[in-house]
Amino acid sequence: RKEVEQDPGPFNVPEGATVAFNCTYSNSASQSFFWYRQDCRKEPKLLMSVYSSGNEDGRFTAQLNRASQYISLLIRDSKLSDSATYLCVVTPYSNDYKLSFGAGTTVTVRA
Amino acid sequence: DVKVTQSSRYLVKRTGEKVFLECVQDMDHENMFWYRQDPGLGLRLIYFSYDVKMKEKGDIPEGYSVSREKKERFSLILESASTNQTSMYLCASSFRGEGSYEQYFGPGTRLTVT
């Protein structure tokens, strides 16, 4: 079983729509959770960390559900520039700098 | 701004050749990583280094080796390239401090082995 699993999509949404997607992780001991964003033919970049209480960064909201071992990302008022692949990232062990990456969820925002 | 650079954006090599991929970071990061990224599989860790001359195997080290002689430079070596090593290779770096898990990536090297 993969450590991090994501629905690959693609999610095709019109501008202004809300889109949400989840990822699941297999190791219940995982400590830290992130969403990275990867534009086409570019390198991944940190979008936001995911905290237990949930957190927002502008139009982006991340949630963590430890009991069910999933994290979610919601994008409100989608912009064309939000088109990207969103990578779910987990640290499988505490005090470990290694990250486990999901294969990514592709979002395409159309005009 | 953190900058991670990789020696080539595109590389074409023949089966059996020895291949060197170089990565340099300018932020004095202790940790450096090599990943490969393949469609549907995501990023998979090949090797990791947390200090000069230190290295740890990642999830898929077979067929690869690494070298870290200087803090800013981390090299990935394919001793004898094979077609199944055709992939996008990404280098990353991060601080070694509590909670410092953000990794900064280079632009990637797309390697084709024919």
Side-chain angles (χ1 to χ4, degrees):
Chain A
R1 184 183 172 188
K2 290 182 182 177
E3 285 186 17
V4 182
E5 300 211 48
Q6 294 184 248
D7 180 347
F11 288 75
N12 295 308
V13 299
E15 268 188 296
T18 296
V19 59
F21 41 89
N22 297 337
C23 93
T24 58
Y25 60 94
S26 60
N27 187 346
S28 59
S30 297
Q31 294 292 314
S32 299
F33 308 89
F34 311 91
W35 285 103
Y36 274 65
R37 172 196 170 122
Q38 186 171 24
D39 294 327
C40 189
R41 302 188 204 287
K42 298 278 195 176
E43 70 272 22
K45 292 184 179 178
L46 179 66
L47 176 67
M48 60 195 300
S49 301
V50 186
Y51 304 117
S52 296
S53 54
N55 48 298
E56 264 188 37
D57 184 359
R59 298 179 293 105
F60 296 81
T61 300
Q63 297 279 356
L64 167 63
N65 185 318
R66 282 192 185 271
S68 301
Q69 294 182 211
Y70 74 86
I71 69 174
S72 64
L73 184 66
L74 181 145
I75 307 172
R76 281 187 304 278
D77 188 24
S78 299
K79 312 290 184 193
L80 294 176
S81 56
D82 295 334
S83 296
T85 297
Y86 292 86
L87 307 177
C88 176
V89 183
V90 172
T91 56
Y93 307 103
S94 61
N95 299 321
D96 191 338
Y97 303 102
K98 290 180 282 193
L99 302 177
S100 289
F101 288 79
T105 296
T106 298
V107 173
T108 302
V109 182
R110 61 183 189 275
Chain B
D1 264 2
V2 175
K3 194 157 185 188
V4 181
T5 57
Q6 295 184 227
S7 49
S8 307
R9 291 300 302 270
Y10 299 94
L11 209 51
V12 179
K13 294 291 181 181
R14 293 187 184 275
T15 300
E17 278 193 85
K18 191 168 186 175
V19 182
F20 292 88
L21 302 182
E22 300 265 305
C23 174
V24 178
Q25 51 93 4
D26 67 358
M27 280 301 290
D28 203 34
H29 285 169
E30 292 86 0
N31 300 328
M32 295 189 76
F33 308 82
W34 274 107
Y35 296 91
R36 62 179 283 176
Q37 186 174 29
D38 301 288
L41 296 178
L43 277 79
R44 292 179 292 166
L45 182 64
I46 304 171
Y47 266 97
F48 159 52
S49 170
Y50 55 89
D51 205 346
V52 175
K53 296 193 187 296
M54 305 304 288
K55 62 185 178 185
E56 279 190 23
K57 292 180 180 179
D59 300 319
I60 51 163
E62 297 78 19
Y64 303 95
S65 62
V66 290
S67 172
R68 187 141 180 229
E69 296 296 319
K70 293 186 177 182
K71 190 175 185 180
E72 67 271 17
R73 189 179 298 268
F74 192 33
S75 302
L76 180 70
I77 302 147
L78 287 66
E79 294 290 342
S80 177
S82 63
T83 54
N84 63 12
Q85 293 179 309
T86 292
S87 186
M88 170 66 83
Y89 289 88
L90 288 159
C91 174
S93 69
S94 72
F95 283 114
R96 189 173 77 225
E98 188 174 330
S100 298
Y101 297 115
E102 181 177 1
Q103 292 184 12
Y104 298 84
F105 285 83
T109 296
R110 185 164 293 283
L111 173 67
T112 302
V113 183
T114 60

